[in-house]
């Protein structure tokens, strides 16, 4: 089974689609639903608003703090890095995952500092600011990644400089 079709069996009619042949790299989710880059952008853009909605849960429930933590840790970084034209190569995906948390935390620190400086910090204003940022940035092309520009993990073997071959 390929990585683009892990939920369906190899002989099912839903798994014989031409997504791999057309080069769209659309993964199939549960029930054979095709997940495209547009779906992921919408999900990333909506993640902040879902985290903000989770704050309405009463009490110190994990249903309240886990979505907020995950959004604050990964949301803005994924929005800034993921929407690459043509998708990401294997090495660039690893680079995007490694950079998503530090970029998100940096944006969170800048947002919190700005809100403190204008004396307007609250959890709601912080999450609304990050959610607006994430929604807008998810609609834009992603930041260029060095591995994506190099062609990811392509290594070229070079011969000796003098050309003698040994």
């Amino acid at each position: 089974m390929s990585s683009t079709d892990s939920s369906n069996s190899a002989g099912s009619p839903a798994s014989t689609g031409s997504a791999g042949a057309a080069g769209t790299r659309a993964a199939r989710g549960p029930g054979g639903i095709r997940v495209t880059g547009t779906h992921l952008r919408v999900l990333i853009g909506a993640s902040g608003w879902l985290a903000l909605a989770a704050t309405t849960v009463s009490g110190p429930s994990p249903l309240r703090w886990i979505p907020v933590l995950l959004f604050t840790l990964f949301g803005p970084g994924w929005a800034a890095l993921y929407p690459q034209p043509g998708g990401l190569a294997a090495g660039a995906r690893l680079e995007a995952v490694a950079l998503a948390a530090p970029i998100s935390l940096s944006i969170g620190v800048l947002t919190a500092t700005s809100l403190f400086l204008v004396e307007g910090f609250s959890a709601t204003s912080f999450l609304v600011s990050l959610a607006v940022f994430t929604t807008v940035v998810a609609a834009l092309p992603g930041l260029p990644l060095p591995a994506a520009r190099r062609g990811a993990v392509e290594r070229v073997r070079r011969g000796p400089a003098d050309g003698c071959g040994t």
Side-chain angles (χ1 to χ4, degrees), residues 5-155:
D5 190 13
S6 61
S7 64
N8 295 322
S9 64
S12 71
S15 68
T16 58
S18 61
T24 57
R25 292 286 199 212
R28 292 199 186 265
I33 297 171
R34 191 177 284 197
V35 180
T36 63
T38 305
H39 289 114
L40 291 174
R41 286 182 180 199
V42 170
L43 181 64
I44 291 169
S47 64
W49 304 108
L50 294 173
L52 186 63
T55 61
T56 61
V57 175
S58 62
S61 169
L63 291 175
R64 181 179 179 147
W65 62 265
I66 289 177
V68 172
L69 176 68
L70 289 176
F71 168 70
T72 305
L73 188 59
F74 295 109
W78 271 114
L81 295 174
Y82 174 70
Q84 297 286 330
L88 294 171
R93 278 192 297 256
L94 179 62
E95 183 179 7
V97 168
L99 289 174
I103 289 175
S104 291
L105 292 175
S106 298
I107 292 168
V109 167
L110 289 172
T111 302
T113 303
S114 300
L115 289 170
F116 272 118
L117 289 174
V118 298
E119 298 177 3
F121 183 83
S122 69
T124 303
S125 65
F126 175 73
L127 284 175
V128 166
S129 300
L130 284 182
V132 167
F133 174 83
T134 303
T135 302
V136 169
V137 171
L140 302 172
L143 295 172
L145 297 169
R149 281 186 268 141
R150 284 192 316 260
V153 221
E154 295 178 355
R155 303 232 190 263

